[in-house]
Amino acid sequence: MTIFDNTLDADGALIVGAGLAGLFTALKLAPRPVTVLSPKPLGMGASSAWAQGGVAAAIGQGDSPRAHAQDTEMAGAGIVDHGTAEGVTAEAVARIEDLARWGTPFDRDDFGNFELGREAAHSANRIVKVEGDRAGWAIMQAIIAEVRRTPSIRVVEGITALSLARDNGRIVGVYCRRLGDRYSEPIYIRARATILAAGGLGGLYAVTTNPPGVRGHAMGMAARAGAIIADPEFVQFHPTAIATGADPAPLATEALRGEGAILLNDLGERFMPAIHPDAELAPRDIVARANFRQIQAGRRVFLDTRQVLGADILTRFPTVSKYCHDAGIDPVNDMIPVTPAAHFHMGGVKVDERGRSSLPGLWVCGEASCTGLHGANRLASNSLLEAVVFGARIAEDIGGLEPARSLAPFEGIEWNEAEGNKAEEVLRNTIAVQELRRIMGDLVGVERDEAGLKAALRQIAHLEATAEQVTSAFLNMTTSATLVAAAALRRTESRGGHFRLDFPEPSGDWEHHTEITLGEALAIRAGA
Ligand SMILES: Cc1cc2nc3c(=O)[nH]c(=O)nc-3n(C[C@H](O)[C@H](O)[C@H](O)COP(=O)(O)OP(=O)(O)OC[C@H]3O[C@@H](n4cnc5c(N)ncnc54)[C@H](O)[C@@H]3O)c2cc1C
């Protein structure tokens, strides 16, 4: 199909984003027609491909979905939706079977049983792993191959969505641009159903584990179109990103602490046992804050795997070992320097149990959504699970599409490596983007307070008003940043991933989700 009048037809459903959420939904929709938009070649630019731990599923002997749901609720600090937790954990095994059927080579023992890992705040071994710490990469390779084999899925690479298109209050598609093409008119792709699966917002922070393109675009786009946003203040900081100065910061998976690795400061002190009875396996926000405070006090923090893993780290954690080697660290004999980094967004576009947003015609899946599963703090390895469970539900919910034999490619839109890399560099080096990421890290980060949040909101408004070029992509980022900071200012308590120095305790008055629109966030910003 060629572009006519800058309008294209998705011929059915349109999925924005090609991480696990987007691709799994596409496969579940088959043989109904679906077009998937991906800024980069499939597998690149998605957090999904970087996941190290695996997928949580109560699959082991003696474990149960009920126990998994209870752990999820415990980690979520009082505001997990009970029904969502019960439903998602109950559907886990069926979705793992889907992934296995599509070729994911899960780690199994000699009898074919899943090998199950342990991560913080799980009461059982229930992390289904692939190739040690390469779960995300291996799952994505398998489902990308399945997507490529499926003729009813049209994949468009080298394109980025800017805004949602609305007609009479209904979402009817998206406006997009070819990567690197900043000056021509946006292309309008119209669709019968639009599924936003463009990831979280870690990249809004100066120190993050997320890929560079995952910067709050999804939540920003939806909020600008009028969608209700839920819990945006809840950002999870991973305690152990490898502190090499690289952007993004490579991750040292929590499974290392599950294996018994400990945290030490540069004085050789192990500080976690004095802070929490579960020490290094305390909930992520507690470990992240402990590391943050050590670093604020001028100390360096290290993850010591030497005693528990020794040379085994090389074979059992090949991804972490490679990251270490790339940074000149010998993980067998040296401790690994670590730092907290923005990692996962519990909040997002509010959806119901079928993945429907508040805007007719718009479904949201994966980290871009807020299903109520994570509450104030995500339980490790629950996010890939959430992506596949809701992907399946969304595919079931979308009605009225007839099966298609195959879809013709969109002529003239394709990934161009030189252009794509240049576009990413331009965005990374844009002063306003750097400044936004600094503001978020300094003032809306691991620890927050009223003065800092108000300053952040004023500074974000100033950036919007004065940035050399206020593109839709930049507005999506500042919109998401505004929502996080405004909701964080409004929530005068501490809970899970949201910690207020001036309100350090949880408050019964706040034991509920946040719902906020962009209009409300802008009003809070105007008063800051
Ligand atoms: C280093 C790391 C390790 C992790 N480990 C685990 C783990 O072990 N277990 C677990 O459950 N979770 C883990 N997570 C979290 C998990 O990977 C993510 O929450 C999950 O993969 C999100 O999937 P997604 O499909 O929603 O988003 P992503 O996988 O991030 O995909 C988003 C897609 O949207 C595209 N996109 C972005 N903006 C636009 C736009 N404007 N237009 C079009 N497309 C766009 C991106 O290019 C990408 O294709 C980890 C995360 C990271 C970063």
Side-chain angles (χ1 to χ4, degrees):
M1 184 184 288
T2 42
I3 305 176
F4 173 70
D5 196 19
N6 265 5
T7 299
L8 286 165
D9 202 326
D11 300 307
L14 177 66
I15 298 180
V16 180
L20 184 61
L23 296 186
F24 193 92
T25 310
L27 286 173
K28 280 287 183 185
L29 274 165
R32 289 166 287 164
V34 55
T35 298
V36 179
L37 307 185
S38 178
K40 290 189 161 190
L42 294 189
M44 287 172 66
S47 290
S48 300
W50 292 6
Q52 293 180 7
V55 190
I59 230 166
Q61 271 205 341
D63 199 5
S64 67
R66 165 78 32 103
H68 184 181
Q70 276 168 357
D71 291 345
T72 301
E73 289 185 59
M74 187 71 85
I79 59 164
V80 168
D81 284 348
H82 178 70
T84 306
E86 297 249 305
V88 170
T89 53
E91 287 164 50
V93 174
R95 300 292 77 85
I96 298 288
E97 280 166 4
D98 287 335
L99 291 172
R101 185 161 46 86
W102 289 327
T104 304
F106 287 112
D107 293 348
R108 297 178 192 257
D109 65 18
D110 293 343
F111 303 100
N113 301 315
F114 289 101
E115 279 184 11
L116 300 171
R118 183 74 161 257
E119 289 190 313
H122 282 277
S123 59
N125 285 13
R126 66 164 75 95
I127 314 303
V128 180
K129 300 181 295 159
V130 200
E131 299 177 9
D133 64 0
R134 304 213 298 170
W137 187 86
I139 292 171
M140 288 295 282
Q141 292 312 304
I143 67 164
I144 287 168
E146 188 66 21
V147 164
R148 300 258 190 229
R149 282 192 289 268
T150 307
S152 59
I153 303 177
R154 174 197 283 128
V155 174
V156 190
E157 292 161 328
I159 192 162
T160 179
L162 306 171
S163 312
L164 296 169
R166 271 194 316 185
D167 187 18
N168 276 328
R170 185 177 172 85
I171 299 301
V172 290
V174 295
Y175 292 98
C176 350
R177 245 186 237 290
R178 294 184 186 92
L179 223 59
D181 180 2
R182 301 173 71 195
Y183 302 108
S184 60
E185 277 295 298
I187 301 163
Y188 166 41
I189 303 181
R190 66 173 160 244
R192 302 267 296 280
T194 303
I195 301 133
L196 195 51
L201 53 63
L204 280 180
Y205 286 81
V207 183
T208 180
T209 61
N210 289 194
V214 178
R215 291 209 172 130
H217 297 287
M219 188 168 84
M221 259 184 274
R224 288 174 50 226
I228 296 175
I229 304 301
D231 296 347
E233 65 272 39
F234 293 113
V235 177
Q236 184 172 81
F237 294 86
H238 199 291
T240 58
I242 305 176
T244 62
D247 177 28
L251 183 73
T253 172
E254 189 164 274
L256 291 161
R257 280 174 286 132
E259 292 289 329
I262 55 172
L263 289 163
L264 298 171
N265 65 18
D266 53 358
L267 301 175
E269 295 162 347
R270 186 178 173 203
F271 48 88
M272 278 314 300
I275 294 173
H276 194 278
D278 293 334
E280 280 81 2
L281 288 178
R284 264 189 197 171
D285 59 302
I286 293 175
V287 186
R289 237 172 2 257
N291 285 0
F292 178 78
R293 285 176 181 169
Q294 289 283 332
I295 292 166
Q296 290 288 98
R299 305 260 63 87
R300 296 182 71 202
V301 178
F302 296 90
L303 186 65
D304 190 353
T305 66
R306 294 172 300 180
Q307 283 274 315
V308 286
L309 284 168
D312 283 356
I313 192 169
L314 301 176
T315 49
R316 294 186 52 204
F317 295 92
T319 307
V320 175
S321 300
K322 181 181 179 308
Y323 288 151
C324 287
H325 280 128
D326 290 351
I329 302 160
D330 169 6
V332 178
N333 297 303
D334 298 338
M335 298 193 295
I336 304 169
V338 291
T339 179
H343 182 62
F344 180 79
H345 193 210
M346 278 72 78
V349 185
K350 180 180 159 59
V351 295
D352 68 12
E353 68 285 354
R354 294 167 295 184
R356 292 182 182 196
S357 75
S358 60
L359 301 175
L362 181 69
W363 286 256
V364 187
C365 191
E367 199 169 328
S369 67
C370 181
T371 66
L373 176 69
H374 308 297
N377 204 2
R378 174 188 67 133
L379 184 67
S381 288
N382 262 358
S383 36
L384 294 178
L385 174 63
E386 180 190 46
V388 293
V389 166
F390 275 84
R393 290 184 183 184
I394 289 170
E396 198 175 317
D397 191 48
I398 292 176
L401 297 178
E402 291 304 317
R405 282 228 175 131
S406 66
L407 294 184
F410 284 169
E411 302 289 345
I413 309 176
E414 59 200 3
W415 165 249
N416 174 315
E417 186 160 2
E419 282 296 333
N421 290 343
K422 199 166 98 195
E424 192 167 293
E425 263 323 281
V426 167
L427 198 60
R428 192 197 298 268
N429 294 328
T430 302
I431 303 228
V433 173
Q434 287 179 351
E435 184 57 9
L436 180 64
R437 297 179 72 200
R438 183 201 63 74
I439 294 166
M440 294 301 283
D442 286 356
L443 303 172
V444 197
V446 177
E447 294 186 336
R448 304 154 174 188
D449 64 16
E450 181 181 337
L453 291 167
K454 284 186 167 170
L457 286 165
R458 288 194 301 270
Q459 290 176 28
I460 296 166
H462 181 73
L463 273 183
E464 260 179 30
T466 57
E468 226 170 77
Q469 260 200 328
V470 181
T471 60
S472 299
F474 186 62
L475 260 189
N476 289 334
M477 289 187 251
T478 53
T479 295
S480 278
T482 299
L483 285 157
V484 176
L489 178 62
R490 202 165 68 172
R491 185 175 279 273
T492 48
E493 64 149 7
S494 290
R495 186 180 297 276
H498 167 70
F499 186 83
R500 288 277 301 251
L501 284 164
D502 43 355
F503 297 94
E505 297 301 326
S507 153
D509 295 345
W510 276 106
E511 200 170 312
H512 57 76
H513 294 287
T514 297
E515 285 191 13
I516 189 166
T517 60
L518 178 57
E520 288 162 352
L522 289 174
I524 294 173
R525 188 170 92 175

